[in-house]
Amino acid sequence: MLLNRVLVSAICIVARFLAVCPAFVEGRQSRNLEILGQISGHHHGTQYASMSENYKNNSDLPRFAEEIQNVTVSKGRDALLACIVDNLRNFKVAWVRVDTQTILSIHHNVITQNPRISLSYNDHRTWYLHIKKVEEVDRGWYMCQVNTDPMRSRQGYLQVVVPPSIITKETSTDMVVREGSNVTLTCKASGYPEPYVMWRREDGKNINYNGESVNVVDGEVLHIVKISRLHMGAYLCIASNDVPPRVSQRISLRVQFPPMLSIPNQLEAAYIGQDVTLECHTEAYPTSINYWTTERGDMIVSGNYHSIAGDKYEAVSTDNGYNKYMMLKIRNVGPRDFGSYKCVAQNSLGGTDGDIKLDEIPAPSTTSTTPPPYHVTTSMKKNGRNGNKKLRQRPIDYEVEEWRNPDISYSTTQRLTTTNTNRDTRLYTYRTPKTNISQDQRG
């Protein structure tokens, strides 16, 4: 019924402009209502059926060559609706906006005050309705009418689609949170049809989400329970609705935690004159200040530092996200270089340190083969300054040849255990010579 009223109102307005069919406006309104109802697809009796049949059989009257095609266009683009009428003769064509009962054009004239709407025609047969830079308000039904009695019309639908866009004021921004807390990221998007929203990491890694490792999280909300440093990174909120282009919003998530460190080798060994390298790995956010100290408390290096070639020490500190690799190279080790070294990491949330002990071993001789410097490999995770654990060190075996004489053969092996002042036990293999001495020589 609403469509019927719309059509009646629109036709009456068109009739006034065209000044045709006066009885259509004055004395036959009830019959016209029935006619319009039939055009809309509602049958009210046999009267219109016979009139419609007569109209169809009358080859002298205008007729639509084809249906008005529905049009889909993106917001901001131009739209074109085409109405093709054969045998129009002296009849006139009008375009009407159905839902607002707005007359847009009558024959060669544009009636609406909308500057974005224009009209063109071709050979008095094809009538085009142009809508420039369409907006969402233009979405709806459009009717092409011919002022016959009864009126003839066709309708076409203009669909206006809108690419997705992120609603900034309703979307989360960059966040910094403490490790172990719960975090909620929100992303809102608009568009037509309604956009589909999903989350993923910018670096392509999986997201630890609700106990599962997933590549994509669907929905406008990303809720992470008990966040850890492994969640740290940039997240992309992506919105799409099959109308290009799809859009995304980048949100940086930083997780704060105090420094932690691990030492691959807590015990290193070298002989005098050798070069040796100490290693230390730390994790912290905010970024920690890292440096080395001797057992006397003297600071060797602070921050990122590369010493000049030829110096005693070469220190390197390399960042990779919240991870930092520390390396201390000691050149030409001397007697004063043996002892403990400490790697230290500190940030605003706390600090930690770890010890590496450098021991002396005998230098290799030119007549024997000595194994390379030894080390004990351990992995240590620390949460505080005093987190070091004492290592259970096993004795280290060495082969030492005191001297060699071609007239002496070696037949016995004795094991000698020595203990230094730091109670570090070493095990050496000491080989004693067996001499070939005659009884006469013994006397």
Side-chain angles (χ1 to χ4, degrees):
M1 290 302 297
L2 177 59
L3 180 61
N4 291 342
R5 295 172 185 172
V6 170
L7 295 174
V8 169
S9 176
I11 295 305
C12 290
I13 296 173
V14 173
R16 293 192 189 100
F17 275 100
L18 298 178
V20 296
C21 302
F24 181 77
V25 178
E26 296 177 2
R28 298 160 59 190
Q29 293 182 356
S30 60
R31 185 171 64 84
N32 290 337
L33 182 60
E34 293 181 359
I35 293 173
L36 291 172
Q38 293 290 343
I39 295 174
S40 301
H42 303 282
H43 300 282
H44 295 280
T46 58
Q47 182 180 7
Y48 171 74
S50 62
M51 292 179 62
S52 177
E53 192 66 28
N54 292 334
Y55 176 84
K56 183 183 298 184
N57 296 331
N58 191 341
S59 59
D60 295 333
L61 294 177
R63 65 185 64 254
F64 293 97
E66 59 185 63
E67 298 291 334
I68 298 177
Q69 298 298 316
N70 296 333
V71 175
T72 299
V73 63
S74 295
K75 179 182 178 180
R77 301 292 185 90
D78 296 343
L80 181 66
L81 294 170
C83 179
I84 302 175
V85 184
D86 289 334
N87 196 32
L88 184 59
R89 298 191 301 162
N90 294 327
F91 292 94
K92 294 177 171 53
V93 173
W95 280 99
V96 178
R97 175 73 185 267
V98 175
D99 53 356
T100 61
Q101 307 180 31
T102 303
I103 299 175
L104 304 177
S105 69
I106 298 178
H107 214 50
H108 299 161
N109 303 309
V110 177
I111 305 302
T112 179
Q113 298 300 312
N114 188 341
R116 296 184 295 105
I117 293 181
S118 60
L119 182 73
S120 66
Y121 43 89
N122 182 17
D123 298 331
H124 208 64
R125 180 175 182 269
T126 306
W127 302 81
Y128 296 104
L129 182 68
H130 302 261
I131 307 176
K132 295 182 178 180
K133 297 181 179 180
V134 296
E135 300 175 358
E136 290 193 73
V137 294
D138 298 323
R139 186 185 297 120
W141 289 97
Y142 291 79
M143 176 184 290
C144 176
Q145 300 177 347
V146 179
N147 64 328
T148 56
D149 186 13
M151 177 269 296
R152 295 286 288 174
S153 67
R154 288 290 186 272
Q155 296 184 49
Y157 191 82
L158 174 61
Q159 177 63 278
V160 180
V161 295
V162 183
S165 62
I166 303 296
I167 306 175
T168 304
K169 63 180 180 181
E170 299 183 33
T171 298
S172 300
T173 56
D174 295 348
M175 300 180 67
V176 179
V177 298
R178 289 295 298 268
E179 191 170 39
S181 60
N182 297 337
V183 176
T184 300
L185 300 179
T186 304
C187 181
K188 295 288 186 179
S190 62
Y192 191 89
E194 184 178 356
Y196 156 72
V197 178
M198 66 178 181
W199 295 88
R200 65 173 46 183
R201 288 184 63 117
E202 186 180 52
D203 56 13
K205 295 179 180 179
N206 282 358
I207 303 173
N208 186 2
Y209 190 69
N210 293 334
E212 297 182 3
S213 181
V214 297
N215 187 254
V216 172
V217 177
D218 297 325
E220 296 178 340
V221 177
L222 176 64
H223 184 66
I224 303 175
V225 179
K226 292 184 179 179
I227 195 167
S228 75
R229 67 198 68 181
L230 299 178
H231 291 102
M232 188 184 303
Y235 290 78
L236 296 178
C237 159
I238 303 172
S240 60
N241 63 351
D242 295 329
V243 182
R246 70 176 188 175
V247 295
S248 64
Q249 179 79 16
R250 183 181 187 273
I251 301 174
S252 177
L253 182 59
R254 299 295 175 188
V255 181
Q256 292 183 327
F257 59 96
M260 298 180 63
L261 65 80
S262 64
I263 298 174
N265 305 313
Q266 284 187 285
L267 184 60
E268 294 282 357
Y271 53 83
I272 292 178
Q274 186 183 7
D275 293 348
V276 67
T277 299
L278 312 181
E279 295 181 355
C280 185
H281 300 272
T282 66
E283 299 177 3
Y285 190 83
T287 302
S288 58
I289 298 173
N290 291 26
Y291 57 91
W292 295 87
T293 66
T294 66
E295 63 182 358
R296 296 180 297 273
D298 299 329
M299 182 181 295
I300 299 175
V301 63
S302 177
N304 293 335
Y305 172 77
H306 297 266
S307 67
I308 301 174
D311 283 358
K312 184 68 174 178
Y313 301 106
E314 178 184 355
V316 176
S317 181
T318 306
D319 290 345
N320 181 17
Y322 58 81
N323 295 283
K324 183 172 291 189
Y325 167 72
M326 299 173 62
M327 183 195 75
L328 178 64
K329 184 174 183 180
I330 307 173
R331 294 190 177 95
N332 193 20
V333 173
R336 292 175 55 86
D337 296 324
F338 297 109
S340 294
Y341 293 82
K342 190 184 297 292
C343 65
V344 182
Q346 294 179 335
N347 70 2
S348 59
L349 302 179
T352 187
D353 57 59
D355 293 326
I356 301 177
K357 188 174 183 181
L358 178 60
D359 272 351
E360 180 182 1
I361 58 174
S365 66
T366 58
T367 60
S368 64
T369 303
T370 303
Y374 73 95
H375 63 262
V376 178
T377 301
T378 61
S379 295
M380 179 187 65
K381 289 288 184 179
K382 295 181 46 176
N383 290 317
R385 185 176 183 86
N386 298 319
N388 284 335
K389 293 184 178 180
K390 293 183 178 180
L391 297 177
R392 294 183 178 177
Q393 302 175 4
R394 63 180 180 81
I396 310 300
D397 291 347
Y398 300 93
E399 289 189 1
V400 181
E401 294 187 6
E402 295 291 333
W403 52 274
R404 180 180 295 275
N405 190 318
D407 296 329
I408 300 175
S409 62
Y410 295 87
S411 61
T412 62
T413 299
Q414 296 180 352
R415 303 184 69 84
L416 176 65
T417 301
T418 64
T419 304
N420 64 8
T421 56
N422 293 324
R423 296 183 180 179
D424 290 330
T425 301
R426 308 174 192 169
L427 183 62
Y428 297 92
T429 300
Y430 179 71
R431 299 188 178 181
T432 59
K434 178 180 179 182
T435 58
N436 296 324
I437 303 175
S438 64
Q439 293 288 339
D440 296 337
Q441 290 174 329
R442 290 179 185 176

